[in-house]
Amino acid sequence: MSARRPLNNGATSAKSSPEATIPPTVRPETPSNDAADTTSARKQPPPEKPSDVRRRTYVILSFWLIVLLLGLPIWWETTTIYRANLPLSEMLDWADGKACRPVFPLRISIQANSLHEQEAQNLLRLTQHALDDLNDFSGHHLRLQLSPPAAKEAEKDDAGAALTIRLIPGESTTSTLDPYSPILDITYPPHTIPSATSSSSSLATYVASQLRATFAEEQAIISYLLSSDSMPSDHRPQGLTPEAADSLSKRTTRSLKHAPTYHLTFSLFTSGPLPSSWDIEAAIAEFMKPVLDVLSPIHNFTIDTQVQLYATPGVQNQVLTKEDLSSFINAAEWPLSPSIGGAPTVNFIVFVGNQTILAAPQGSPDETDRTSQSWLIPQWGTVYLLPLPSDTTHVSAEKLKQPLLTFTSHLLSLTGTPQSGSLPLRLSTLARIRSADLLLRASSTLGSLARLALALPSISIPESVADGVSKTMSHLRLACETLGGAEGLGHARIAEAEAERAFFEKSMVGQLYFPDEHKLAVYIPLLGPVGVPLLLGLLNEIKAWRKRRRERAEQQATKKKE
């Protein structure tokens, strides 16, 4: 039996080889590296042409140039807040009392016709020394001058004097103030005349004390105005007692705010059909017009009248108490005239009825404010209760005499007129007080405007405000130089009006309540859709430019190595 031999020693059978069972067509093949690189190269986009790259760069650059060279200048020009240049430091100096210290040089004329010139000059010198020693308020300068003996020259020289002192020989030393002119008559015994070598004199001391007493109220009022102002404490006058300050505070609260013009309304109210007419024009011309004429250099007055029948008061009690006075005015039904043309209105009401007022207790603070028939309403006017027979159809001017005199007295109180001294002296004092008040108010307004401009950098300051500030400061300087006269009052009035006009400029007031958050709310929705694409496009272009620059650098480095 013979064994099988393989046909070939180096050959294997088909059954023993695994590759023999796999068809040649399904045998896997591993791709080469060159084939993989070719496939990935097909998937990438074709390279950009240099012209396309330049075109895209020019487009982005043109958009940014339009924004920077056209859009931003237009936006800046249309949204920039104009702020005129203001002298802020000078304005604050006026408000702090550093630019002007109110000084009232009052000229006092002395007529001593019975004395020799040498004696009169010596008395004048001693009186001035005594006056300077008594004066504790540097803002009130009383300067004495000797009136010439000639009558015409004396009258001409005394015309600009605040007060004239007439020295008259007599048996005792007395003083009398003329109620109708600014003249102080002083009688003296002949033996009180100082000699040429005397260093002091009882007569000089007496004259100085009378002068100080004459202007004491004016000095107190001006001191109160300066002390209540915002100026530093070292510029304020000292020595005002708390009681005097409290009394002056009440008087200031009662009086009206200064205005060039006041509107006077005279009203006749009656609870029934009678009386239906009154001679108010004749009564005003006879009893009140003289005082209005004297006040005309300081204030202008316009007048109107009215009669209202069946006018029911707010309180119908037979006897009115202090609590009833505040609700007596029936503002809901009584046709009381409002302010006309911007001028404050002063109401003078005559109510025909049999009501009476419960008199104030003795020593009450309100005792001087009202009598049994009338009372004064601070900053408003006066009510007068006029009892008449029930069958009276017409109110004559004579019956209106007492109401008109009361109205005149209360008008002086409402305008802030001093209470002591003769009427001409009180009115000249009122002019000086008003000058100081207006000067301080204008200065305070300038300071408020300067602080407002510093606190709100985004507020608009138009040119009209700068012009008003310039005019205010110009008139303030003139008012400070001419305080005490009619010219100073005129400049102070213009300065206060210009300062108020500049502070309440309409274009400034509208921007006081426009915060910066509102600007963000306006700009973000507008600039977001425009700014984001522009910014992203610029960033992408910068990245592409840096990539191209890096590739060029690598290519140049490769070429250098080859």
Side-chain angles (χ1 to χ4, degrees):
M1 185 173 174
S2 59
R4 289 184 180 180
R5 295 180 181 179
L7 296 177
N8 194 344
N9 293 332
T12 57
S13 65
K15 293 182 180 180
S16 61
S17 175
E19 293 180 0
T21 62
I22 299 175
T25 57
V26 297
R27 185 173 297 171
E29 297 180 357
T30 302
S32 62
N33 292 333
D34 296 338
D37 293 341
T38 305
T39 303
S40 61
R42 291 195 197 101
K43 293 181 180 179
Q44 291 182 356
E48 288 185 302
K49 297 179 181 181
S51 60
D52 295 339
V53 175
R54 287 194 300 271
R55 184 181 298 108
R56 185 177 66 251
T57 303
Y58 291 155
V59 170
I60 295 176
L61 182 61
S62 63
F63 272 105
W64 275 99
L65 289 177
I66 292 174
V67 170
L68 295 176
L69 300 181
L70 186 62
L72 285 180
I74 294 177
W75 169 80
W76 182 265
E77 187 67 24
T78 56
T79 60
T80 298
I81 298 175
Y82 179 76
R83 289 174 62 90
N85 293 326
L86 297 179
L88 300 179
S89 60
E90 295 183 35
M91 296 166 64
L92 292 175
D93 287 344
W94 278 103
D96 295 338
K98 300 177 182 179
C100 173
R101 298 185 63 178
V103 175
F104 297 87
L106 302 184
R107 196 157 51 91
I108 310 300
S109 180
I110 296 181
Q111 293 183 6
N113 298 332
S114 59
L115 298 178
H116 296 293
E117 183 176 358
Q118 187 64 29
E119 293 177 337
Q121 291 290 350
N122 188 38
L123 178 62
L124 181 69
R125 178 179 57 83
L126 295 177
T127 305
Q128 185 68 63
H129 288 328
L131 193 61
D132 294 338
D133 294 338
L134 291 175
N135 188 18
D136 55 354
F137 178 33
S138 59
H140 224 198
H141 287 175
L142 300 179
R143 290 294 172 257
L144 304 180
Q145 66 178 18
L146 192 61
S147 179
K152 293 184 178 180
E153 294 181 1
E155 292 178 0
K156 182 179 179 181
D157 191 71
D158 296 343
L163 180 67
T164 300
I165 298 178
R166 294 189 302 194
L167 297 177
I168 305 171
E171 297 180 357
S172 61
T173 305
T174 60
S175 64
T176 305
L177 185 63
D178 194 317
Y180 302 106
S181 60
I183 297 177
L184 178 64
D185 292 329
I186 295 180
T187 60
Y188 64 93
H191 64 84
T192 58
I193 300 299
S195 62
T197 59
S198 299
S199 60
S200 62
S201 170
S202 59
L203 178 59
T205 304
Y206 181 80
V207 174
S209 62
Q210 291 300 312
L211 278 174
R212 191 174 184 274
T214 302
F215 293 98
E217 185 178 7
E218 177 181 348
Q219 178 178 329
I221 295 175
I222 295 178
S223 299
Y224 173 76
L225 292 176
L226 296 178
S227 64
S228 60
D229 192 63
S230 59
M231 63 170 48
S233 58
D234 56 341
H235 291 268
R236 299 176 182 175
Q238 305 296 329
L240 194 64
T241 62
E243 295 78 9
D246 183 63
S247 176
L248 292 173
S249 176
K250 292 181 179 179
R251 186 186 303 183
T252 304
T253 305
R254 178 193 309 157
S255 61
L256 291 162
K257 181 181 177 181
H258 173 80
T261 302
Y262 291 112
H263 183 72
L264 307 182
T265 299
F266 295 86
S267 305
L268 176 65
F269 290 98
T270 176
S271 58
L274 298 176
S276 59
S277 61
W278 59 337
D279 288 334
I280 185 61
E281 289 82 4
I284 293 175
E286 183 177 358
F287 304 114
M288 200 171 189
K289 190 68 163 54
V291 176
L292 298 181
D293 293 339
V294 176
L295 286 171
S296 59
I298 306 175
H299 302 287
N300 295 323
F301 296 96
T302 59
I303 299 175
D304 71 346
T305 63
Q306 63 176 344
V307 177
Q308 182 69 23
L309 306 178
Y310 298 100
T312 303
V315 178
Q316 301 183 22
N317 299 335
Q318 186 68 27
V319 179
L320 302 178
T321 61
K322 181 179 178 181
E323 291 73 18
D324 296 333
L325 301 183
S326 59
S327 55
F328 183 85
I329 303 298
N330 191 350
E333 298 182 6
W334 290 5
L336 299 174
S337 300
S339 297
I340 297 178
T345 297
V346 184
N347 293 277
F348 295 120
I349 296 177
V350 176
F351 185 81
V352 178
N354 56 359
Q355 294 171 306
T356 58
I357 302 172
L358 181 64
Q362 185 70 22
S364 173
D366 295 331
E367 184 178 2
T368 58
D369 291 349
R370 57 185 174 89
T371 63
S372 60
Q373 294 300 127
S374 65
W375 69 94
L376 183 146
I377 302 176
Q379 300 185 9
W380 191 85
T382 302
V383 178
Y384 192 96
L385 301 179
L386 182 62
L388 292 175
S390 58
D391 57 348
T392 302
T393 60
H394 179 76
V395 183
S396 63
E398 186 62 29
K399 294 180 180 179
L400 292 173
K401 177 180 179 179
Q402 190 58 44
L404 265 293
L405 293 178
T406 302
F407 293 160
T408 302
S409 175
H410 287 180
L411 178 62
L412 294 175
S413 179
L414 289 172
T415 55
T417 307
Q419 299 175 353
S420 61
S422 61
L423 184 57
L425 190 61
R426 293 166 62 191
L427 294 178
S428 63
T429 300
L430 175 61
R432 291 188 287 271
I433 292 172
R434 288 302 191 186
S435 299
D437 185 25
L438 292 173
L439 187 144
L440 294 175
R441 282 166 51 184
S443 302
S444 177
T445 303
L446 282 183
S448 300
L449 181 58
R451 288 186 287 269
L452 178 66
L454 292 173
L456 300 176
S458 61
I459 192 174
S460 172
I461 302 179
E463 196 64 35
S464 59
V465 173
D467 182 62
V469 170
S470 177
K471 292 181 179 178
T472 299
M473 296 178 63
S474 175
H475 285 283
L476 280 178
R477 295 188 191 97
L478 295 175
C480 188
E481 295 173 359
T482 57
L483 277 178
E487 186 179 358
L489 176 61
H491 288 300
R493 183 180 296 170
I494 297 174
E496 195 270 341
E498 290 292 338
E500 291 289 324
R501 183 180 62 85
F503 186 81
F504 292 102
E505 174 66 31
K506 295 181 180 179
S507 58
M508 290 178 58
V509 176
Q511 295 185 7
L512 290 177
Y513 312 99
F514 191 83
D516 294 336
E517 290 79 2
H518 289 186
K519 298 179 182 179
L520 296 177
V522 172
Y523 284 132
I524 288 179
L526 178 63
L527 299 180
V530 178
V532 172
L534 284 175
L535 186 60
L536 292 180
L538 180 62
L539 293 177
N540 291 334
E541 186 61 24
I542 292 175
K543 290 181 180 179
W545 173 76
R546 295 179 62 183
K547 180 179 180 183
R548 292 194 299 270
R549 184 179 178 183
R550 186 172 58 253
E551 290 176 351
R552 285 197 300 268
E554 291 176 354
Q555 290 177 1
Q556 292 177 359
T558 303
K559 289 180 180 180
K560 289 181 180 180
K561 290 180 181 180
E562 292 178 355

